[in-house]
C-alpha cells in the first residue's frame, strides 16, 4: 500500500507546563519565539518557532488537566524538542543562555533531519530538554 502522505516537518509540539506565564517568558526571551495566539479559556498559548509552533498548555487548564500530574523529577512530558538554528556559534549561544542562568551542555555532534551536526542541550523551566542544532557537516564520500 502506498503512503497517502509525506511528513514535511514538525508542525508543532505541545508542552504541559506548571506556570504558563513563566514558560511564555522563557520561550520568548531565551529562544525568541513570538506569541501567535492566546486561548486563555483553554489555558493554551501558541508560539511561533521558525516554520513550526510550540504550544504551551497550563496543567491547571482544561486541556492540561487531561494529562494528569505535571512533569516532575520522576516523569517528563517528552524527551526533548530539537530546534534547528543558524548560525551555530557555540560560544555565542552558550553566553546567551548563561545570561538567563542556563548552563547548556558542551556542543557535540548529533544526528538529525539534515545529518550530523553540532548541537547543545539545556532545560526549560519545567525540565523539558531543548536541543539547539546547527547545520549538518559535509559527510565524506566513501
Amino acid at each position: 500500500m502506498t503512503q497517502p502522505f509525506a511528513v514535511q516537518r514538525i508542525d508543532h509540539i505541545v508542552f504541559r507546563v506548571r506556570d504558563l506565564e513563566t514558560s511564555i517568558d522563557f520561550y520568548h526571551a531565551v529562544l525568541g519565539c513570538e506569541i501567535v495566539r492566546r486561548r486563555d479559556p483553554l489555558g493554551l498559548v501558541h508560539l511561533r518557532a521558525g516554520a513550526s509552533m510550540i504550544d504551551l498548555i497550563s496543567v491547571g487548564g482544561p486541556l492540561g488537566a487531561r494529562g494528569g500530574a505535571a512533569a516532575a523529577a520522576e516523569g517528563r512530558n517528552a524527551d526533548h524538542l530539537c530546534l534547528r538554528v543558524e548560525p551555530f556559534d557555540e560560544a555565542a549561544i552558550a553566553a546567551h543562555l548563561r545570561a538567563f542562568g542556563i548552563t547548556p551542555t558542551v556542543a557535540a555532534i548529533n544526528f538529525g533531519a539534515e545529518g550530523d551536526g553540532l548541537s547543545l542541550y539545556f532545560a526549560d523551566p519545567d525540565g523539558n530538554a531543548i536541543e539547539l542544532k546547527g547545520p549538518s557537516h559535509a559527510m565524506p564520500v566513501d
Side-chain angles (χ1 to χ4, degrees), residues 27-67:
Y27 282 93
H28 175 72
V30 177
L31 298 177
C33 297
E34 296 295 328
I35 295 174
V36 174
R37 181 182 297 170
R38 286 189 76 115
R39 298 168 71 189
D40 292 325
L42 297 174
L44 170 62
V45 174
H46 305 274
L47 298 129
R48 170 76 49 207
S52 302
M53 303 288 288
I54 298 171
D55 294 349
L56 304 174
I57 56 175
S58 170
V59 295
L63 297 178
R66 292 187 214 162

XYZ file of all heavy atoms in Angstrom, residues 27-67:
300
model
N 10.302 30.980 26.598
C 10.353 30.722 25.158
C 10.489 32.014 24.349
O 11.092 32.024 23.285
C 9.143 29.896 24.702
C 9.329 28.444 25.047
C 8.841 27.922 26.242
C 10.042 27.595 24.210
C 9.041 26.589 26.581
C 10.257 26.268 24.539
C 9.756 25.777 25.723
O 9.974 24.466 26.057
N 9.977 33.123 24.874
C 10.120 34.398 24.184
C 11.524 34.983 24.388
O 12.223 35.277 23.424
C 9.059 35.394 24.668
C 9.234 36.759 24.083
N 8.960 37.034 22.764
C 9.686 37.898 24.631
C 9.242 38.305 22.533
N 9.678 38.855 23.652
N 11.938 35.130 25.632
C 13.208 35.799 25.918
C 14.425 34.971 25.511
O 15.377 35.495 24.948
C 13.286 36.151 27.407
N 14.401 33.684 25.795
C 15.568 32.840 25.544
C 15.650 32.390 24.090
O 16.719 32.403 23.478
C 15.584 31.613 26.484
C 16.745 30.702 26.168
C 15.647 32.067 27.943
N 14.511 31.991 23.511
C 14.532 31.424 22.163
C 13.981 32.358 21.091
O 14.069 32.053 19.902
C 13.751 30.107 22.137
C 14.314 29.008 23.035
C 13.430 27.784 22.991
C 15.740 28.659 22.629
N 13.408 33.484 21.488
C 12.893 34.432 20.511
C 11.568 34.048 19.885
O 11.186 34.606 18.857
N 10.847 33.116 20.486
C 9.537 32.708 19.961
C 8.515 33.804 20.244
O 8.532 34.416 21.307
C 9.080 31.403 20.612
S 10.176 30.013 20.263
N 7.627 34.022 19.292
C 6.603 35.052 19.439
C 5.232 34.421 19.633
O 4.909 33.411 18.999
C 6.562 35.950 18.198
C 7.829 36.753 17.980
C 8.102 37.768 19.079
O 7.136 38.307 19.668
O 9.297 38.012 19.363
N 4.425 35.034 20.473
C 3.050 34.564 20.671
C 2.257 34.832 19.401
O 2.245 35.955 18.892
C 2.376 35.263 21.867
C 3.083 34.892 23.168
C 0.894 34.907 21.932
C 2.570 35.640 24.380
N 1.617 33.789 18.886
C 0.778 33.903 17.701
C -0.685 34.017 18.117
O -1.450 34.782 17.540
C 0.969 32.677 16.775
C 0.001 32.706 15.612
C 2.397 32.609 16.283
N -1.060 33.254 19.130
C -2.451 33.258 19.586
C -2.502 32.801 21.037
O -1.794 31.887 21.424
C -3.286 32.312 18.727
C -4.757 32.271 19.106
C -5.549 31.303 18.267
N -5.511 31.740 16.874
C -5.949 31.013 15.870
N -6.452 29.820 16.075
N -5.893 31.471 14.643
N -3.364 33.432 21.802
C -3.669 33.008 23.176
C -5.091 32.505 23.193
O -5.972 33.140 22.628
C -3.529 34.162 24.161
C -2.116 34.572 24.471
C -2.097 35.578 25.612
N -2.322 34.896 26.862
C -1.426 34.797 27.854
N -0.257 35.365 27.735
N -1.718 34.150 28.954
N -5.303 31.401 23.887
C -6.657 30.869 24.065
C -6.836 30.643 25.560
O -6.829 29.529 26.050
C -6.814 29.608 23.237
C -6.637 29.936 21.732
C -6.484 28.743 20.865
N -7.751 28.026 20.758
C -7.861 26.837 20.187
N -6.811 26.241 19.677
N -9.023 26.247 20.130
N -6.941 31.757 26.267
C -6.952 31.746 27.728
C -7.994 30.830 28.349
O -7.702 30.173 29.356
C -7.072 33.173 28.269
C -5.817 33.997 27.980
O -4.703 33.429 28.005
O -5.951 35.197 27.717
N -9.230 30.728 27.802
C -10.193 29.812 28.426
C -9.713 28.355 28.444
O -10.139 27.573 29.298
C -11.441 29.956 27.553
C -11.333 31.313 26.936
C -9.851 31.507 26.717
N -8.826 28.007 27.518
C -8.284 26.645 27.466
C -6.955 26.520 28.192
O -6.414 25.423 28.326
C -8.098 26.206 26.003
C -9.362 26.111 25.166
C -9.001 25.808 23.717
C -10.293 25.049 25.728
N -6.358 27.649 28.601
C -5.019 27.612 29.197
C -3.978 27.287 28.146
O -2.994 26.604 28.437
N -4.137 27.792 26.919
C -3.311 27.427 25.770
C -2.723 28.668 25.106
O -3.425 29.651 24.873
C -4.176 26.661 24.767
C -3.635 26.361 23.376
C -2.395 25.479 23.425
C -4.731 25.698 22.536
N -1.425 28.598 24.801
C -0.742 29.666 24.078
C 0.054 29.036 22.946
O 0.758 28.046 23.149
C 0.197 30.470 25.001
C 1.003 31.484 24.210
C -0.593 31.170 26.091
N -0.068 29.614 21.735
C 0.671 29.148 20.562
C 1.815 30.113 20.301
O 1.591 31.325 20.182
C -0.239 29.131 19.322
C -1.486 28.333 19.485
N -1.540 26.978 19.254
C -2.739 28.704 19.848
C -2.773 26.547 19.461
N -3.520 27.571 19.835
N 3.040 29.591 20.195
C 4.222 30.407 19.920
C 4.854 29.977 18.603
O 4.967 28.779 18.330
C 5.251 30.251 21.042
C 4.753 30.723 22.404
C 4.972 29.655 23.444
C 5.460 31.987 22.784
N 5.284 30.933 17.801
C 5.962 30.654 16.540
C 7.421 30.318 16.825
O 8.110 31.040 17.528
C 5.874 31.872 15.625
C 6.710 31.826 14.383
C 6.217 30.963 13.269
N 4.836 31.177 12.931
C 4.069 30.229 12.390
N 4.555 29.030 12.143
N 2.804 30.465 12.113
N 7.874 29.195 16.276
C 9.270 28.758 16.368
C 9.742 28.480 14.947
O 9.681 27.350 14.471
C 9.392 27.516 17.244
N 10.137 29.517 14.227
C 10.502 29.357 12.820
C 9.290 28.932 12.027
O 8.233 29.555 12.091
N 9.414 27.821 11.285
C 8.299 27.304 10.491
C 7.357 26.452 11.327
O 6.333 25.998 10.835
C 8.839 26.477 9.318
N 7.685 26.228 12.579
C 6.900 25.361 13.452
C 6.290 26.155 14.597
O 6.512 27.347 14.728
C 7.792 24.244 14.016
O 8.364 23.488 12.977
N 5.534 25.455 15.431
C 4.895 26.076 16.581
C 5.230 25.287 17.840
O 5.393 24.062 17.794
C 3.368 26.074 16.419
C 2.854 26.761 15.182
S 3.008 28.532 15.253
C 1.741 28.911 16.440
N 5.300 26.010 18.942
C 5.384 25.400 20.265
C 4.115 25.841 20.986
O 3.866 27.039 21.127
C 6.623 25.855 21.047
C 7.896 25.439 20.309
C 6.591 25.294 22.470
C 9.168 26.026 20.897
N 3.299 24.878 21.386
C 2.084 25.176 22.137
C 2.348 24.868 23.600
O 2.882 23.810 23.935
C 0.908 24.327 21.649
C 0.484 24.649 20.224
O 0.954 25.661 19.671
O -0.325 23.886 19.682
N 1.971 25.793 24.457
C 2.100 25.600 25.897
C 0.702 25.528 26.490
O -0.127 26.400 26.220
C 2.867 26.767 26.521
C 4.258 27.054 25.955
C 4.836 28.321 26.577
C 5.182 25.869 26.181
N 0.454 24.472 27.281
C -0.829 24.379 27.966
C -0.589 24.257 29.464
O 0.278 23.516 29.919
C -1.708 23.210 27.450
C -1.004 21.871 27.529
C -2.169 23.479 26.031
C -1.885 20.685 27.153
N -1.342 25.017 30.211
C -1.233 25.011 31.663
C -1.784 23.699 32.221
O -2.875 23.270 31.830
C -2.018 26.182 32.236
O -2.113 26.071 33.637
N -1.037 23.066 33.130
C -1.531 21.814 33.725
C -2.817 22.054 34.515
O -3.577 21.125 34.739
C -0.478 21.116 34.614
C 0.707 20.657 33.801
C -0.050 21.992 35.772
N -3.075 23.308 34.898
C -4.293 23.635 35.627
C -5.460 24.000 34.734
O -6.573 24.170 35.214
N -5.227 24.110 33.427
C -6.286 24.475 32.490
C -7.050 23.257 32.000
O -6.649 22.110 32.262
N -8.146 23.472 31.283
C -8.976 22.356 30.802
C -8.222 21.328 29.955
O -8.433 20.130 30.111
C -10.060 23.045 29.970
C -10.099 24.445 30.453
C -8.710 24.775 30.912
N -7.354 21.779 29.062
C -6.602 20.835 28.224
C -5.488 20.153 29.014
O -5.297 18.946 28.937
C -6.000 21.545 27.011
C -6.974 22.155 26.015
C -6.213 22.874 24.903
C -7.882 21.090 25.433
N -4.751 20.931 29.771
C -3.615 20.395 30.520
C -4.012 19.429 31.617
O -3.291 18.479 31.916
N -5.170 19.647 32.218
C -5.624 18.774 33.304
C -5.860 17.343 32.827
O -5.757 16.402 33.604
C -6.898 19.337 33.927
N -6.139 17.178 31.534
C -6.364 15.832 30.990
C -5.129 14.947 31.089
O -5.245 13.724 31.076
C -6.756 15.912 29.517
C -8.085 16.530 29.270
C -8.409 16.382 27.792
N -9.152 17.528 27.320
C -9.292 17.863 26.069
N -8.726 17.152 25.123
N -10.000 18.912 25.725
N -3.951 15.562 31.166
C -2.703 14.794 31.188
C -2.261 14.348 32.559
O -1.202 13.733 32.692
